[in-house]
Amino acid sequence: MLKREIETKLIEWKNKTDKKCLIISGARQVGKTYIVEKFAKDNYEHFVEINFVENPTAKKIFDGDLDITTILANISLYLPEQSNLIPNKTLIFFDEIQACPNARTALKFFAIDKRFDVIASGSLLGINYEKVSSYPTGYVEFLEMNPLSFKEFLWANGIDENVVSIIKSCFENKSVVNKAMNLKLLEYFKQYIVVGGMPNVVNTFVNNHNFEEVLNLQKNILIDYKNDIAKYAYSTEKVKAKACFESIPAQLAKENKKFMYSTFDKNGKSQKYSGSINWLIDAGIVNICNNVTSLDLPLIAYREENYFKLYMADTGLLVAMLDDGTNAQIMEGNLGIYKGAIFENIIAQILHTNGNKLYFYNRNNTLEIDFVLSKNAKITPIEVKANNNKAKSLSTILKTNPDMKGIKLVNGNVGEVDNMLTLPLYMAMFL
């Protein structure tokens, strides 16, 4: 049974005195259904679950009037086994709600009624936006669920919270991590890169440490993603979205990792493919990282919409898209041309999971900072190194901006020289 940090946020939501309906978004197979079922079992006397993909007939519940009395009556009519609706003691869960836009509209009326706690969940939630007759703005709140974080991966492997507390203390105090502990954590981090954070994959790895079985599960998830493209993407976007998706490893293998449509279409233009990129982002399959033209606040003011990188939302799935045997090479430390791609992808994944907007900085193709964070009204440039070699671009930026603090993430330990802080890669979980 995997422990997930989102459980704490669900408890906080339940304890609100004037709560809205909750929508949990996230890619397919990140564990949304499991975590809601577990949360319901632990916190409610009654639980009603309606999955609109497994039970398409349930859509009829929302075909007519959307007042709560009618909806409750329809639930009893169409799903008598799910009619145990006790006010103030019941959690109603609409799973795969993207398949029933009217149910999403009805969330407004559940929020106004207040007799039942309601959670909705699904993949591809943004894709049916225009099909919702009246979007419940102001009556819902959102919670994004991502693949397992590195902290959750450590928990799954039996590493207790005391270890996490120790390394967090080292991060906060800029102190060196015990050598043996640091080496072990870097080894776990390599495993995390290969295994990724999809719950079923992590469970399998923890139980048998069989990388071949891990790879087979990952490839099945990638097939599911391609099937989703074929099923849900608009007919004009299907081929284009698939081409964009399949090009990601090649995009990241380039020295200049800017997403270039010419990689798979010599006549490719942003006007032609922007809808496909947005589809992949909405589906939770990829994370977008935009270039900024200046290292000043607010970063969003300097964001270049058509100059971006695309990272897989789960690095384990990126590894599964590469040549057979890549997972073994990573564990042995032999990464070849994908070295930069893999390490940038895992840091992008971690930063996104932590709630950061992803930006990078490229100046005339002569200087590039892998990531740029904006926190506490300060700019933090970050460079990612697979080993512990020099960060030339970061050094240049810090020399011209002496008041700025930079971070270099490395396969090493904590250190600090002037205004550059060196951290082991796994400490990205605290950024």
Side-chain angles (χ1 to χ4, degrees), residues 5 11 45 67 100 137-138 152 160 163 169 172 174 194 212 268 275 279 289-290 308 323 334 373 389 393:
E5 292 183 273
I11 293 293
E45 292 184 30
D67 64 279
C100 185
T137 303
E152 292 168 334
D160 64 34
V163 173
S169 177
E172 293 172 341
K174 302 176 185 178
V194 171
E212 184 177 352
W279 195 98
C289 182
N290 290 89
F308 60 88
D323 298 333
N334 304 318
L373 295 190
N389 47 325
S393 293

Side-chain angles (χ1 to χ4, degrees), residues 114-260:
K114 298 185 183 303
R115 285 181 291 164
F116 303 94
D117 287 357
V118 178
I119 295 178
S121 179
S123 308
L124 316 164
L125 279 172
I127 291 165
N128 284 328
Y129 180 91
E130 73 291 341
K131 295 182 180 179
V132 178
S133 58
S134 176
Y135 193 77
T137 303
Y139 297 95
V140 297
E141 59 182 284
F142 294 87
L143 191 57
E144 182 181 12
M145 191 167 185
N146 295 288
L148 269 75
S149 67
F150 182 58
K151 183 192 293 188
E152 292 168 334
F153 184 79
L154 290 176
W155 290 341
N157 281 277
I159 307 302
D160 64 34
E161 189 61 41
N162 289 332
V163 173
V164 177
S165 297
I166 290 170
I167 58 176
K168 186 174 184 180
S169 177
C170 291
F171 167 78
E172 293 172 341
N173 298 313
K174 302 176 185 178
S175 56
V176 175
V177 182
N178 171 275
K179 184 177 180 180
M181 179 180 290
N182 186 56
L183 289 174
K184 188 62 179 176
L185 286 167
L186 287 169
E187 183 68 17
Y188 275 121
F189 195 73
K190 282 198 296 185
Q191 293 177 2
Y192 180 56
I193 289 172
V194 171
V195 175
M198 304 306 275
N200 190 31
V201 179
V202 174
N203 258 330
T204 298
F205 174 75
V206 169
N207 290 332
N208 59 28
H209 284 72
N210 186 322
F211 285 105
E212 184 177 352
E213 191 170 345
V214 162
L215 182 60
N216 288 335
L217 289 172
Q218 291 167 330
K219 287 186 174 180
N220 285 336
I221 293 173
L222 292 170
I223 290 171
D224 286 343
Y225 283 177
K226 292 178 184 179
N227 288 339
D228 281 344
I229 293 172
K231 181 177 180 181
Y232 292 107
Y234 300 123
S235 57
T236 56
E237 299 293 340
K238 293 181 189 296
V239 174
K240 292 184 289 183
K242 185 172 181 286
C244 291
F245 173 65
E246 292 180 336
S247 78
I248 291 175
Q251 302 280 357
L252 295 176
K254 305 192 311 297
E255 184 175 351
N256 179 0
K257 296 176 178 60
K258 173 187 176 183
F259 193 91
M260 300 173 66

Side-chain angles (χ1 to χ4, degrees), residues 26 34 44 51 67 97 101 136-137 173 176 199 202-203 208-209 213 237 243 253 302 351 364 368 404 414 423:
Y34 167 81
Y44 291 86
N51 186 308
D67 64 279
I97 198 173
T137 303
N173 298 313
V176 175
V202 174
N203 258 330
N208 59 28
H209 284 72
E213 191 170 345
E237 299 293 340
Y302 303 98
L351 295 178
N364 301 323
E368 182 169 313
M404 188 177 286
V414 179
L423 298 173

